[in-house]
Amino acid sequence: MKNKSAEPYLLDDYLSSGFEETQNPFITKDSRLWGKYASLIFSLLSLCLLISSYVVSFASPNLSNFFLIIVYFFVGTPALTDTIKDLIKFKINIEVLMTLAAFLSVLIGSQREGALLLVLFALSHALEDMVTTKTKGALSSLQKLSPTMALIIDEIEGTYQKSVKEIEPGTKILIRAGEVIPLDGEVIEGSSYVNLAHITGESVPISKSVGDEVQAGSINTDGTLTLVVIKTSAESTLAKIIKLITQAQESKPKLQRFLDQFGDIYAKSIILLSITIAVVMPFIFNVPFLTNQGSIYRSLAFLIAASPCALIIGAPTAYLGAISACARRGILLKGGVVLDALATCKRLYFDKTGTLTTGKLSCHSCDFINPSVDQNMLLAIAAGLEQGAHHPIADALLDYTKKENVSPYQIRDLKVISGAGVEGKAEINNKVYDSFVGSPDFILEKIADEQKKLIVDKIDREGKVVALALIGTNVIIFHFLDEIRNDARNILQSLSEQIEIEMLTGDHQDNAKVVADLVGIKSFHSDVTPDQKLSIVQESAEKERIIMVGDGINDAPALTYAHVGIAMGQIGSDTAIEAADAVLLNDDISTLSWLINHSRKTHRIVKENIVFALAAIAVNAVLSLVGVIPLFVAVIMHEGSTVLVGLNSLRLLRRSPSKAAGVSPQAPPKG
């Protein structure tokens, strides 16, 4: 077998992805980690140096000034560089105002206040940068799911590895048991069960045989398949989902747009006022330019007093307090903006598989069709057959027989037919029975016509996942259902008092209806593909703010586009977790009700902080400008308002009763 290195294609993927240097696959993990958190590390280090400068200022002024110089170097240099770039482009925003206020404060002897502004500014940006990398992380985890190489079958050269990017439609590829299918293709040889849960949302492995199409990203569970490729890697199902995520992220509502616009107007207004004060005041009020009570001094004092320190810290401290409270309940939030969005959402969409259900099949009952042998014996034979199979239906059937206190019967000549079922021989009272367990299609072709119609009618009427067993002429219909999460009905009933609830699923209509009835959801959409799921979310998002809760790759585009996407942390795919705005670390949907209430409280406190900060800035700036208070009093008022805003934010850290049971904040998220 020949083997062609995939490293050049890995480099191509990285360079064409637009990912930042911190995601470069060719540098060490430790280096990527340092690069990812560099801005936050330097911000925290600068904060420590600033505190040290305050502490030693009375004992050693020179050492205090040395610490300040390092602070200005660490956090002032990048701020000043960005400000120069903005000014060259004629952009004046709140960042420019903060930087100018910080550096000009040195001219009037308020260098420590300027350093504080720079440190707060740097901390705010570091936290923002950590949040905004989530979508690129989602695309990265998707690309990791899809194999970069495929096993080519060539009549002349035999089998060899080749990059999926070089494989054209019409090429034959071999997929072994347990492998991820690298490209969309059609089965031309072999049969197997294929797990499509992360692609379509269907919880039951699908039987695939000659003539069936399979999708890239799905998992071949048991047999060996030979496929003929029908789409290039750029046209595959996974590539389509990546494109959907990108489009959804680009069109996601910009929750910070209003604040950004306000910040730009505020910054321009304050800078313009400061210049006007410095130039005009001597002519109107007959004050000098350069003295301690001169116009330049007052304009700089006004600029510092009007710098939005409390305004900047008011929202982040509230969000950090709220995020910490969420973490204690096993909820990971990717930024305070998630809480803002949650507070105004009116509708919640649930994915079915892995969200309202556990994603694990359970056999809840079975029907015996005209049994001529003891029922427990028939169950024992069916269990004996399934001991030789390895897929979710077999596991669920064995669990069911165990609960019924039935031990598996010894089967002779056991044979597994990939993608179909299991067959063997069972001897009962010196009589040998040909025995089979498997999919309805596999079993029905072996059943007499007079029995077949009765069984088909019963299967259609039940509308659930079924498997059949044929033992001699005895037929058993096993009924399976995706396990409903504990207390899901009561949880959703409580949640429906706060928000409208609907269900979205790629599962077929009959299964979706059964689950919807069990959990008490009146409105649901079934048989939806990832792009259809996204379309439903987009249409709804145009009318009102919405939440999407899901766990699979197929949910990722909708999770990204929704005003708030919430993923399951344990059962959820890495892609869904990365694409979501929030993660339930313990898959505990009972915390959703508390989360919505908490977000509304956070939203209220943030508004209180903003109103108070603006009022404090206005009073402080006016009093400084007219010379009613000296500069040190203005600084005390400035810092005092910041402290009060911080204390108000700490209210969000107070413990409140939680209805969520069994939440363990220490449980790590998947991936």
Side-chain angles (χ1 to χ4, degrees):
M1 177 187 294
K2 296 191 298 183
N3 186 20
K4 299 182 180 180
S5 174
E7 189 169 289
Y9 304 102
L10 184 60
L11 178 60
D12 288 344
D13 288 341
Y14 166 67
L15 293 175
S16 63
S17 65
F19 296 157
E20 298 180 9
E21 290 83 354
T22 54
Q23 293 178 287
N24 190 334
F26 299 98
I27 62 177
T28 65
K29 183 178 180 180
D30 289 341
S31 298
R32 289 198 299 269
L33 194 63
W34 274 101
K36 184 177 181 180
Y37 297 109
S39 60
L40 181 61
I41 291 169
F42 280 108
S43 300
L44 293 174
L45 178 60
S46 299
L47 179 60
C48 293
L49 289 170
L50 180 60
I51 294 172
S52 300
S53 175
Y54 274 104
V55 171
V56 304
S57 60
F58 298 103
S60 179
N62 290 334
L63 181 59
S64 175
N65 290 331
F66 175 72
F67 286 150
L68 282 179
I69 291 172
I70 299 176
V71 171
Y72 272 88
F73 176 76
F74 278 162
V75 293
T77 303
L80 186 60
T81 302
D82 291 339
T83 295
I84 293 172
K85 290 179 180 177
D86 287 337
L87 291 175
I88 290 174
K89 298 176 182 177
F90 299 100
K91 289 175 60 179
I92 298 177
N93 48 38
I94 205 163
E95 287 82 3
V96 172
L97 171 61
M98 290 289 293
T99 306
L100 288 177
F103 279 94
L104 291 175
S105 65
V106 178
L107 299 179
I108 58 172
S110 300
Q111 56 269 20
R112 291 191 182 88
E113 285 69 33
L116 177 61
L117 293 178
L118 287 173
V119 169
L120 292 172
F121 180 60
L123 280 171
S124 175
H125 269 265
L127 294 173
E128 182 183 350
D129 290 342
M130 290 173 61
V131 174
T132 54
T133 57
K134 66 185 179 66
T135 301
K136 289 183 178 180
L139 299 182
S140 177
S141 63
L142 254 184
Q143 291 181 340
K144 289 177 183 177
L145 174 70
S146 182
T148 57
M149 307 292 284
L151 188 60
I152 302 295
I153 301 176
D154 189 281
E155 295 179 359
I156 300 175
E157 300 186 47
T159 58
Y160 61 91
Q161 295 279 350
K162 188 175 183 180
S163 168
V164 294
K165 287 194 170 185
E166 290 188 329
I167 297 175
E168 297 293 332
T171 305
K172 294 181 182 179
I173 59 175
L174 182 67
I175 314 295
R176 301 188 181 96
E179 292 182 345
V180 178
I181 295 170
L183 295 162
D184 288 8
E186 180 181 330
V187 180
I188 58 173
E189 185 178 333
S191 61
S192 179
Y193 279 99
V194 174
N195 191 332
L196 295 154
H198 288 314
I199 302 298
T200 65
E202 175 63 65
S203 56
V204 183
I206 305 298
S207 175
K208 297 291 184 180
S209 56
V210 175
D212 294 332
E213 290 187 9
V214 292
Q215 297 167 310
S218 52
I219 301 171
N220 182 26
T221 61
D222 54 2
T224 298
L225 297 174
T226 300
L227 310 180
V228 58
V229 175
I230 58 176
K231 293 180 182 178
T232 64
S233 61
E235 300 170 333
S236 70
T237 303
L238 271 181
K240 186 177 181 181
I241 292 177
I242 290 173
K243 183 179 179 181
L244 287 172
I245 292 176
T246 303
Q247 291 174 344
Q249 179 64 23
E250 289 175 351
S251 56
K252 187 173 183 177
K254 305 295 183 182
L255 299 175
Q256 296 286 5
R257 185 175 298 165
F258 172 76
L259 290 177
D260 290 343
Q261 290 175 346
F262 171 79
D264 291 349
I265 296 171
Y266 181 87
K268 292 172 183 176
S269 301
I270 296 300
I271 293 173
L272 182 61
L273 278 172
S274 297
I275 296 172
T276 303
I277 290 166
V279 174
V280 174
M281 184 173 280
F283 300 101
I284 297 178
F285 298 102
N286 196 27
V287 296
F289 278 102
L290 300 175
T291 66
N292 285 343
Q293 290 297 319
S295 63
I296 293 178
Y297 182 90
R298 291 192 187 191
S299 67
L300 290 178
F302 171 79
L303 187 67
I304 294 168
S307 61
C309 191
L311 188 63
I312 283 181
I313 200 174
T317 53
Y319 291 139
L320 287 174
I323 289 169
S324 298
C326 289
R328 289 204 300 259
R329 287 165 175 80
I331 305 169
L332 172 65
L333 298 182
K334 298 181 180 179
V337 70
V338 179
L339 291 162
D340 268 350
L342 272 169
T344 55
C345 286
K346 304 296 183 184
R347 187 172 300 274
L348 188 154
Y349 286 99
F350 273 109
D351 174 53
K352 179 184 75 68
T353 305
T355 306
L356 296 174
T357 65
T358 63
K360 180 182 178 182
L361 284 179
S362 65
C363 179
H364 62 86
S365 64
C366 64
D367 293 327
F368 296 89
I369 308 299
N370 302 324
S372 60
V373 179
D374 178 70
Q375 293 183 1
N376 281 344
M377 178 56 71
L378 293 175
L379 284 177
I381 294 172
L385 287 165
E386 288 289 54
Q387 279 188 318
H390 301 284
H391 55 79
I393 288 178
D395 295 339
L397 194 152
L398 288 169
D399 287 342
Y400 176 75
T401 56
K402 186 177 181 180
K403 290 178 183 177
E404 296 293 319
N405 295 318
V406 173
S407 300
Y409 195 77
Q410 190 67 35
I411 304 297
R412 295 177 2 208
D413 302 332
L414 189 67
K415 182 181 179 183
V416 177
I417 295 89
S418 296
V422 187
E423 65 178 40
K425 297 183 182 297
E427 185 174 344
I428 306 174
N429 298 327
N430 297 322
K431 183 177 180 181
V432 177
Y433 290 84
D434 290 329
S435 304
F436 309 86
V437 175
S439 65
D441 291 341
F442 174 62
I443 301 297
L444 285 172
E445 65 182 17
K446 307 176 187 303
I447 297 176
D449 291 339
E450 58 270 15
Q451 271 191 315
K452 188 178 298 184
K453 187 177 186 305
L454 172 65
I455 295 169
V456 170
D457 289 343
K458 190 168 184 62
I459 292 173
D460 292 340
R461 188 168 61 253
E462 289 290 338
K464 300 173 185 176
V465 180
V466 300
L468 300 182
L470 175 62
I471 301 166
T473 58
N474 302 278
V475 178
I476 311 174
I477 303 176
F478 292 98
H479 301 281
F480 300 87
L481 192 65
D482 204 353
E483 287 183 346
I484 305 296
R485 290 191 176 276
N486 291 335
D487 207 25
R489 187 178 183 89
N490 291 335
I491 292 169
L492 265 64
Q493 184 177 357
S494 174
L495 198 57
S496 64
E497 297 173 2
Q498 300 171 284
I499 195 167
E500 295 292 326
I501 299 176
E502 293 188 35
M503 184 176 76
L504 297 174
T505 178
D507 216 342
H508 58 77
Q509 185 176 6
D510 293 333
N511 281 352
K513 187 178 187 309
V514 170
V515 173
D517 290 341
L518 287 173
V519 299
I521 291 180
K522 297 179 181 178
S523 177
F524 67 90
H525 304 263
S526 59
D527 297 299
V528 292
T529 59
D531 53 340
Q532 290 171 340
K533 189 173 290 188
L534 176 59
S535 296
I536 293 170
V537 168
Q538 285 177 324
E539 184 178 348
S540 180
E542 291 176 359
K543 304 174 185 176
E544 57 191 352
R545 293 189 177 276
I546 62 168
I547 303 169
M548 174 69 194
V549 184
D551 73 304
I553 291 172
N554 62 304
D555 301 318
L559 287 170
T560 307
Y561 187 85
H563 294 89
V564 179
I566 301 178
M568 312 300 279
Q570 293 182 356
I571 196 172
S573 71
D574 290 341
T575 302
I577 290 171
E578 293 288 351
D581 302 295
V583 181
L584 305 182
L585 300 183
N586 300 310
D587 296 353
D588 186 1
I589 61 174
S590 68
T591 57
L592 288 172
S593 180
W594 176 88
L595 177 59
I596 292 173
N597 282 330
H598 188 62
S599 69
R600 291 170 181 171
K601 181 180 178 181
T602 304
H603 192 60
R604 185 175 65 252
I605 287 179
V606 168
K607 288 195 292 185
E608 291 172 358
N609 285 350
I610 291 173
V611 170
F612 176 77
L614 288 173
I617 289 169
V619 172
N620 198 18
V622 171
L623 294 178
S624 299
L625 179 62
V626 299
V628 172
I629 58 174
L631 184 59
F632 78 92
V633 174
V635 171
I636 292 173
M637 290 178 61
H638 183 269
E639 303 307 324
S641 65
T642 303
V643 171
L644 289 176
V645 163
L647 291 174
N648 189 43
S649 299
L650 290 178
R651 293 164 53 201
L652 291 165
L653 283 172
R654 290 187 302 183
R655 290 187 177 274
S656 58
S658 174
K659 296 180 182 179
V663 176
S664 173
Q666 289 79 20
K670 182 180 176 182

